[in-house]
Amino acid sequence: MNKFALALAVSAAMIFVQTSASQAEEGTSTLQTVKDRGSVSCVIGNSFPGFYSLNKEGEWQGMDIDMCRGVAAAVFGDAGKVNFLPVQWAQSFTTIKSGKGDILSKGMTWTLSRDVSQGLDFLDTYFYDGQGFMVRKDLGVTSVKELQGATVCVLTGTSSELNLADYSRTHALDLKTVVFDDSAVRNTAFFNDNCDALTNDKSGLAAQRSAAPNPADYVVLPETISKEALSFAVKQNDSEWANVVKWTFQAMVAAEEYGITSENVDDMRANSESPIIRRILGVEGDLHVGLGLPQDWAYQVIKNVGNYGEIYERNVGPDSILGLDREGTLNALWQDGGLMYAKSFR
């Protein structure tokens, strides 16, 4: 069912791809292209539960999905006006540079080389992560440093592959990489015992473990060997569109800071006397003008998709498939010791 739904999604996406590329060649601004097209084109991967995956109804769901839906809500007042383009890892950058996609939101780590050499501008970090390792419990390993000479499944062309090489070299572990360009094939290889370990961001390992035939047979080792700032990106030097995308995310974070949720946003909009909340929700001020968006754009984001905390909880939080606690992590709000910090709506 999911494979059939994915095939339909890919076929439908191609209609938008051709239109987007043509408009990009003509030099039309991305924001105007999106408005003329009537939808946002969001580049994602094939499947990363908690971040982007198809549900039983063949609908995309996850944290990355909600980020893109938020942008659609900001532009159109309708979170459904987004077209998802699932691509392999190697096509991620070219799909944006060519103008076929408007936003890259697929668990991509913000690195210097990607920022300066891939024709992209990274905008905001929506999830702070770190790379780890998963092994079979019966291997009897309790630390990465016990994996001397082991084989490790890893996705090629990723920061995970480079971090693995650095860590192996630094600690003289002589780890043997087994590379894949498709995450599903990589996962299958690991669960079929073709590798001693699987390495990925720890959020990814949680997702892959949850999808294992017997999750209790696998354990994530304690070491975190890197910093992985998962961020979304747009085509380089496209500041008008970049502003729309990054302030959509800022609205999600600001909403959580000020206690605005998808459930109480209408009451807040009608009754709040806070000048900050009134500016965020478009009751007063003209912050929307510089963005080229409707006055109620942030209200629409929160109403349709929710604040950052709501998005986190339903997709990756304790009651989700990943079961990730937020308390005490870098993904908490700044006042709770985290790094999530909304810029000023002024």
Side-chain angles (χ1 to χ4, degrees), residues 41-165:
S41 292
C42 181
V43 179
I44 58 173
N46 290 323
S47 183
F48 183 178
F51 289 84
Y52 47 86
S53 62
L54 288 167
N55 61 22
K56 293 180 180 179
E57 289 72 41
E59 301 167 333
W60 288 104
Q61 61 183 11
M63 203 164 187
D64 284 293
I65 301 304
D66 282 343
M67 293 298 156
C68 293
R69 292 176 67 243
V71 174
V75 177
F76 300 108
D78 183 349
K81 290 189 175 183
V82 56
N83 178 53
F84 295 106
L85 307 177
V87 302
Q88 297 287 10
W89 201 263
Q91 283 76 52
S92 302
F93 306 119
T94 56
T95 306
I96 293 294
K97 288 191 291 185
S98 67
K100 295 176 182 177
D102 306 317
I103 310 170
L104 176 63
S105 186
K106 56 173 299 185
M108 181 74 69
T109 300
W110 187 347
T111 70
L112 188 152
S113 59
R114 288 173 178 169
D115 209 3
V116 302
S117 64
Q118 293 294 343
L120 304 177
D121 280 332
F122 284 85
L123 305 179
D124 282 294
T125 297
Y126 59 89
F127 192 87
Y128 291 93
D129 209 342
Q131 186 174 336
F133 294 78
M134 180 164 61
V135 298
R136 297 185 306 278
K137 188 176 292 185
D138 61 16
L139 197 61
V141 171
T142 59
S143 169
V144 179
K145 293 178 182 178
E146 297 173 20
L147 290 174
Q148 179 73 40
T151 55
V152 183
C153 286
V154 63
L155 204 61
T156 190
T158 63
S159 57
S160 295
E161 183 181 15
L162 301 176
N163 293 335
L164 175 62

Side-chain angles (χ1 to χ4, degrees), residues 11 24 50 91 154 165 235 246 283-284 288 293 302 311 314 327 335 345:
S11 297
Q91 283 76 52
V154 63
K235 192 173 182 180
K246 67 186 179 184
V283 178
E284 60 183 53
H288 65 291
L293 297 177
I302 301 160
I311 293 168
R314 70 168 167 261
E327 184 177 356
Q335 62 260 44
F345 277 73

Side-chain angles (χ1 to χ4, degrees), residues 71-335:
V71 174
V75 177
F76 300 108
D78 183 349
K81 290 189 175 183
V82 56
N83 178 53
F84 295 106
L85 307 177
V87 302
Q88 297 287 10
W89 201 263
Q91 283 76 52
S92 302
F93 306 119
T94 56
T95 306
I96 293 294
K97 288 191 291 185
S98 67
K100 295 176 182 177
D102 306 317
I103 310 170
L104 176 63
S105 186
K106 56 173 299 185
M108 181 74 69
T109 300
W110 187 347
T111 70
L112 188 152
S113 59
R114 288 173 178 169
D115 209 3
V116 302
S117 64
Q118 293 294 343
L120 304 177
D121 280 332
F122 284 85
L123 305 179
D124 282 294
T125 297
Y126 59 89
F127 192 87
Y128 291 93
D129 209 342
Q131 186 174 336
F133 294 78
M134 180 164 61
V135 298
R136 297 185 306 278
K137 188 176 292 185
D138 61 16
L139 197 61
V141 171
T142 59
S143 169
V144 179
K145 293 178 182 178
E146 297 173 20
L147 290 174
Q148 179 73 40
T151 55
V152 183
C153 286
V154 63
L155 204 61
T156 190
T158 63
S159 57
S160 295
E161 183 181 15
L162 301 176
N163 293 335
L164 175 62
D166 285 349
Y167 191 81
S168 177
R169 179 182 174 187
T170 299
H171 297 281
L173 293 177
D174 192 29
L175 298 175
K176 310 293 193 304
T177 59
V178 183
V179 300
F180 302 86
D181 58 12
D182 186 295
S183 58
V185 177
R186 176 204 58 191
N187 298 344
T188 299
F190 172 70
F191 291 127
N192 286 338
D193 297 337
N194 293 325
C195 308
D196 298 313
L198 171 65
T199 189
N200 197 4
D201 295 347
K202 283 194 167 181
S203 61
L205 294 179
Q208 285 123 31
R209 183 176 181 271
S210 70
N214 296 293
D217 291 345
Y218 300 89
V219 60
V220 176
L221 299 178
E223 289 91 346
T224 301
I225 70 167
S226 71
K227 294 179 292 184
E228 305 295 324
L230 306 189
S231 310
F232 39 82
V234 298
K235 192 173 182 180
Q236 201 167 56
N237 300 322
D238 192 350
S239 59
E240 180 187 51
W241 180 241
N243 285 338
V244 170
V245 176
K246 67 186 179 184
W247 281 100
T248 294
F249 177 69
Q250 293 301 319
M252 296 173 177
V253 179
E256 184 180 12
E257 288 184 353
Y258 291 102
I260 312 170
T261 70
S262 57
E263 294 185 356
N264 70 15
V265 66
D266 287 312
D267 178 64
M268 287 280 205
R269 192 168 188 239
N271 300 308
S272 177
E273 296 182 1
S274 164
I276 298 175
I277 292 176
R278 291 172 66 84
R279 283 198 299 272
I280 292 173
L281 299 181
V283 178
E284 60 183 53
D286 58 359
L287 295 179
H288 65 291
V289 175
L291 292 171
L293 297 177
Q295 188 168 3
D296 67 346
W297 67 273
Y299 161 81
Q300 295 292 347
V301 172
I302 301 160
K303 179 69 175 179
N304 281 274
V305 185
N307 66 34
Y308 179 81
E310 291 177 282
I311 293 168
Y312 186 102
E313 291 302 316
R314 70 168 167 261
N315 291 305
V316 301
D319 295 328
S320 73
I321 188 173
L322 298 193
L324 301 179
D325 286 325
R326 187 181 175 204
E327 184 177 356
T329 73
L330 299 179
N331 295 306
L333 290 177
W334 64 278
Q335 62 260 44

